[in-house]
Amino acid sequence: DRRPLVWPHGVRRVRLVLSWRSRRRGHQPWRHLPGLRAMKDLDFTVIVPTHNRSERLTRTLGSIEAQTLRPDQYEIVVVANNCTDDTVTVVEQRSAHSRCALRVTEETKVGPSAARNRGIREARARWCAFIDDDMTVAPGWLAAFAGVLAPHGDSHPAIACGRNDVVFVGGRPPWLADPILDLFGGIYHPPTARRIRYPSIVPSGNFACHRALFSLVGFFDERFSRADAEDAELSYRVMYRGIPAYWVHDALAYHYVDTDRLTREQVRARAEEFGGVRPVLFAGVPSRLARTGWQALDIALFGAAYVRALVMQHGSRLAGRPDLEFAYQCKRSYGEGYLRALLGREPADPRAPP
């Protein structure tokens, strides 16, 4: 377990001096985000978007309240995204005895992007952490993120993502192999990894960043009305700006997946759907030259990945591994969805009109 993040008096003084120098120089990317100065001693705002999952949400909130940080170092903002169940009532009742500050706000525009943006606008801390309502976090989750974000000032923000372990409720299907766990939010890099670079992304289900980052690169694109590509599109905007993105192995979260009604066809269709939205992921990059270059590189990389998946699928069949054969079939479906979108056989832009 990590020790609570406590700023010694001398470090606090240095932070105040650096903050004063940044204001003198005019580096205030957070100036458009109201409420930050009023809560400057609050380190984290944990944003939890949810839609009609009040029972699961209770489990998520319990894990956040059990963090090793002091209760006065973070707050929780639950965004009820067009909820019709008792989510608001459940959170309001829980806030009366919560270990840390807990509040709920409502967002009527449907979609995870709109919900997360509402949470960002409601945040009062210098750092924002994001977790989904079907996930739980380890006790040292926020402390691990703090260790990476603390060296970066508000004028030089950073972003970091944690490790996601998938928990299959009801047992893991025998045909579901490791290579496609990323379809269920499984995120894992070697413990020695440090920086995240293209083509990897920062998944929206488990990440943290300076709140000031959103005034530099913009918010989540709310035209993505489903949880399919809004995090990847934001990731590439961040990378284009040269903002460092870190991998934090100790920022552990658990993603719970119900397998009672999970079928092979659903998984394959999900992979194809994800591939179909990839052509628009660079739309937010402002430079046309950079956007074209990244798109060309992306086509080359995923073309090679498609050929590899084809070879590995047949190899797995010969080796008598039907689970791996299906995994590489899904990777082929991803590439085929990508190709059809590029050729215009399917709508390449999954976003709703602005």
Side-chain angles (χ1 to χ4, degrees):
D1 293 340
R2 293 177 176 268
R3 297 178 59 187
L5 180 64
V6 179
W7 294 105
H9 179 71
V11 175
R12 185 179 295 276
R13 182 178 299 175
V14 171
R15 291 174 69 200
L16 292 175
V17 171
L18 292 176
S19 177
W20 174 80
R21 288 175 65 86
S22 295
R23 289 197 297 271
R24 286 287 302 272
R25 294 173 183 171
H27 298 304
Q28 301 181 25
W30 39 261
R31 62 187 181 276
H32 300 300
L33 300 172
L36 183 60
R37 296 187 221 179
M39 300 296 292
K40 62 185 178 182
D41 292 330
L42 194 65
D43 288 324
F44 278 102
T45 293
V46 181
I47 299 170
V48 187
T50 185
H51 175 70
N52 291 345
R53 286 179 173 176
S54 59
E55 295 182 2
R56 297 185 181 184
L57 181 63
T58 301
R59 178 179 58 191
T60 303
L61 295 178
S63 68
I64 301 173
E65 291 170 347
Q67 293 299 293
T68 56
L69 296 187
R70 296 194 318 267
D72 61 345
Q73 288 183 282
Y74 67 102
E75 65 172 353
I76 306 174
V77 175
V78 175
V79 183
N81 188 205
N82 202 34
C83 291
T84 57
D85 64 353
D86 59 345
T87 294
V88 174
T89 302
V90 168
V91 177
E92 288 177 344
Q93 292 176 349
R94 189 182 184 91
S95 64
H97 55 82
S98 176
R99 176 176 178 266
C100 60
L102 170 64
R103 51 198 172 95
V104 61
T105 185
E106 297 186 68
E107 173 58 51
T108 57
K109 186 174 182 179
V110 177
S113 295
R116 294 189 184 102
N117 288 343
R118 169 63 66 180
I120 295 166
R121 296 184 179 98
E122 294 287 336
R124 298 181 295 182
R126 61 185 303 229
W127 300 326
C128 292
F130 297 81
I131 195 72
D132 287 346
D133 60 358
D134 56 353
M135 302 176 69
T136 59
V137 294
W141 180 62
L142 287 179
F145 278 137
V148 173
L149 297 178
H152 294 267
D154 292 324
S155 59
H156 298 87
I159 190 171
C161 82
R163 173 164 53 105
N164 287 355
D165 285 353
V166 181
V167 179
F168 291 98
V169 180
R172 179 171 172 172
W175 46 265
L176 198 58
D178 288 347
I180 55 173
L181 288 183
D182 55 345
L183 294 175
F184 302 93
I187 304 297
Y188 182 81
H189 296 281
T192 55
R194 178 66 174 169
R195 295 288 293 271
I196 298 175
R197 294 181 172 86
Y198 168 85
S200 297
I201 67 168
V202 176
S204 56
N206 176 13
F207 82 99
C209 64
H210 286 74
R211 187 168 168 234
L213 177 140
F214 297 102
S215 66
L216 294 175
V217 304
F219 291 79
F220 285 97
D221 189 340
E222 296 187 5
R223 290 176 294 178
F224 287 97
S225 58
R226 297 173 299 176
D228 44 21
E230 79 288 348
D231 49 3
E233 193 272 336
L234 178 66
S235 297
Y236 294 144
R237 274 189 278 143
V238 168
M239 294 178 187
Y240 171 77
R241 290 272 189 170
I243 296 173
Y246 296 101
W247 159 251
V248 186
H249 186 267
D250 293 333
L252 174 61
Y254 302 93
H255 183 212
Y256 295 85
V257 178
D258 292 324
T259 58
D260 293 340
R261 300 179 180 178
L262 191 64
T263 65
R264 296 163 65 101
E265 182 58 31
Q266 287 176 339
V267 176
R268 192 203 60 77
R270 184 178 179 87
E272 186 173 348
E273 178 184 349
F274 280 6
V277 303
R278 191 162 186 86
V280 301
L281 298 187
F282 307 104
V285 176
S287 169
R288 181 177 180 180
L289 180 61
R291 188 166 60 248
T292 303
W294 276 22
Q295 187 74 70
L297 177 61
D298 203 58
I299 293 173
L301 287 177
F302 281 88
Y306 178 83
V307 174
R308 180 179 181 273
L310 181 63
V311 173
M312 294 298 292
Q313 179 184 355
H314 289 287
S316 301
R317 182 183 305 165
L318 294 175
R321 291 291 305 274
D323 56 337
L324 289 179
E325 180 184 356
F326 176 70
Y328 288 108
Q329 180 186 359
C330 290
K331 290 186 176 294
R332 282 187 56 195
S333 296
Y334 183 99
E336 290 165 0
Y338 188 11
L339 179 61
R340 276 196 289 268
L342 287 174
L343 296 178
R345 296 182 181 178
E346 290 181 356
D349 195 339
R351 302 171 297 179

